[in-house]
Amino acid sequence: MTYIRLIIITCFFGLHLQAQTDTTFILNSTSVETFLPAIALTEARTEVLKLQEPVKTLFKCNLLALSPITNGRTLFGQAGEVVNSKNWPIDLEISVEQKIGKPFSIGATIATSAVSYNTFNPDIFRKPGRQYFQNATFEAEGRWYYAMTKRINAGKQANNLSGPYLGASFRWIHWRKDVIFENGVNDQRGAFLNVGIQQRIFKHGYFDLGYGFGYLRSEESPYIRNNRHFSSALRAKLGFAIAGPSSKDDSKGSYCEALRCFREERSMFKIDLLNLINFSSFYYTKQLDFAPSIAWEQKINQSAFSIETEASLAMSYRGFRYQDDLQNLKIRSDYQSFKAQLVVQPRYYFDLKRRIAKGTAGNNLSGPYVGLHNVFSKTWLDGKTSFSLPTEFRISTYGVGLVVGCQYRFLRHGYVDFNIGQGVSTSSGHIINSDGSRNTINGDWGKYLIGTFKVGVAF
């Protein structure tokens, strides 16, 4: 698992180093940006997002699927949270997208859960223990980039695979027979409508953010009689992309104006928009999350050190409905939870002085960093259930760990921040079960994974 973490970190730093190389070349070739900042910003945005590069074929690898961040995946935790070290699902996901005419494309995705665990999942009856390559997912999707024709005609972008889109997809999931109970579900099929936006990032990066909703259908079995379920979830993908051989990049803009390389910045106020609100439905579980988060990052004098302080309040509703006619079993659960959290994270931007000395950056809060993650949280959960499940949580948690990440400003008020790491945590409090029994959490220390992916506005 350590190798997977190193792969993720290396990949993101690779994108960073490539961007800096291009920046150095551009700095020696332009002087008009000082006098025409609006034009320079537009040209820089075009260059960073590769808007003027014609692309007919795009090969993609979603790196977020390798991380413990749960956005857009089966709910192992709240959206944007991380999972316990023992329950980290590692997914491999690759896809290809082919252009058809100006506004349309077709694509195919292949994915597998390379490593999964026996985390509770109401639609899959798995044997306990670690499982390798326990399923395979195939998805075909057609997309309509509805604004593309107009933008091409206006000269704002080339004929490529970037921009907002509407899509329709068909998904087939096959589970290995040796990882489910006898007579369990082996195949699931689903049809979805998707809305989102896809953009290139530099030469070999991409992101795809959107929302999908539709229906999943499973094989009938003694365990599952109602085999059609509404499903929806946030789609968040970030990773590597390689354009097909017919692509041609003639752009000569500047990365730096878009990434605010030379902005002198001692402090930054940030609002995370990616994880602000999410509605998800997966078989028997429905969940609504609202998680406002604000952060303040302050440099320590003129050094490469800073301290980020983040406050968030996560409000969540989770409903669970399950019926087994064979065993005359009905389960109905409703939970409301609140989680107040404070994170204090000292950071060190370890290559900032080198970039300043080379003339490729100002003294700011952008670039790769290492940080000491300190989190304090309090969780309140109350619910009703017709089964032997907890009905009340009152838990206080403290965790500390090391993270490695990368943060960038982009355009005027945008920012993106990704980090990953590991630490230890301790919790105290109590859990009350539906039968009235009480379990006390005694504060033992244990390992946990840390993961953050944020996109929002900064001032």
Side-chain angles (χ1 to χ4, degrees), residues 412-428:
R412 296 188 186 278
H413 295 295
Y415 87 98
V416 58
D417 189 1
F418 175 88
N419 61 51
I420 188 171
Q422 186 169 353
V424 293
S425 67
T426 179
S427 297
S428 60

Side-chain angles (χ1 to χ4, degrees), residues 92-280:
L92 301 176
E93 180 184 314
I94 59 174
S95 58
V96 60
E97 187 175 357
Q98 177 65 45
K99 192 84 175 188
I100 301 178
K102 284 186 179 180
F104 300 102
S105 73
I106 56 174
T109 299
I110 301 176
T112 181
S113 296
V115 180
S116 294
Y117 296 82
N118 60 335
T119 305
F120 177 71
N121 189 353
D123 63 291
I124 301 299
F125 300 88
R126 290 177 286 184
K127 293 180 180 179
R130 183 180 298 186
Q131 307 290 344
Y132 297 95
F133 302 104
Q134 66 170 355
N135 61 38
T137 300
F138 302 92
E139 184 171 8
E141 181 180 16
R143 289 183 177 181
W144 171 40
Y145 290 89
Y146 53 87
M148 180 161 295
T149 301
K150 182 178 179 180
R151 291 180 60 83
I152 292 175
N153 294 337
K156 295 182 178 180
Q157 75 175 81
N159 188 6
N160 52 35
L161 294 164
S162 297
Y165 65 83
L166 298 174
S169 62
F170 174 81
R171 183 184 305 166
W172 174 55
I173 306 174
H174 176 73
W175 295 84
R176 274 177 28 206
K177 293 183 178 181
D178 62 329
V179 298
I180 59 177
F181 285 139
E182 185 179 359
N183 298 321
V185 176
N186 292 110
D187 292 287
Q188 301 166 331
R189 295 173 175 83
F192 300 88
L193 296 177
N194 308 308
V195 57
I197 181 170
Q198 177 174 271
Q199 296 285 2
R200 300 274 303 281
I201 310 175
F202 306 123
K203 188 175 182 179
H204 294 303
Y206 87 102
F207 69 85
D208 187 348
L209 301 178
Y211 201 85
F213 57 93
Y215 275 89
L216 280 173
R217 179 176 181 177
S218 298
E219 290 179 314
E220 290 189 0
S221 75
Y223 297 98
I224 294 182
R225 306 301 296 272
N226 180 17
N227 63 340
R228 295 184 180 182
H229 302 271
F230 176 76
S231 180
S232 66
L234 174 70
R235 291 156 51 102
K237 300 182 180 183
L238 174 70
F240 281 121
I242 300 176
S246 61
S247 304
K248 184 179 180 181
D249 184 7
D250 295 326
S251 57
K252 295 182 179 180
S254 170
Y255 287 131
C256 256
E257 188 65 32
L259 295 183
R260 317 306 296 269
C261 296
F262 300 104
R263 179 189 180 98
E264 296 292 326
E265 190 170 53
R266 294 191 59 189
S267 62
M268 184 162 49
F269 177 74
K270 297 176 280 189
I271 302 174
D272 177 26
L273 299 180
L274 178 62
N275 303 296
L276 178 61
I277 188 169
N278 183 37
F279 168 74
S280 59

Side-chain angles (χ1 to χ4, degrees), residues 45-63:
R45 176 180 178 273
T46 299
E47 171 67 1
V48 169
L49 302 181
K50 294 296 181 182
L51 294 178
Q52 293 299 339
E53 179 180 351
V55 174
K56 292 185 178 181
T57 308
L58 196 62
F59 301 92
K60 297 173 282 187
C61 177
N62 180 19
L63 294 181

Side-chain angles (χ1 to χ4, degrees), residues 385-405:
T385 179
S386 59
F387 201 62
S388 179
L389 294 171
T391 58
E392 178 181 302
F393 284 10
R394 298 292 186 270
I395 299 176
S396 299
T397 300
Y398 168 69
V400 60
L402 293 175
V403 296
V404 178

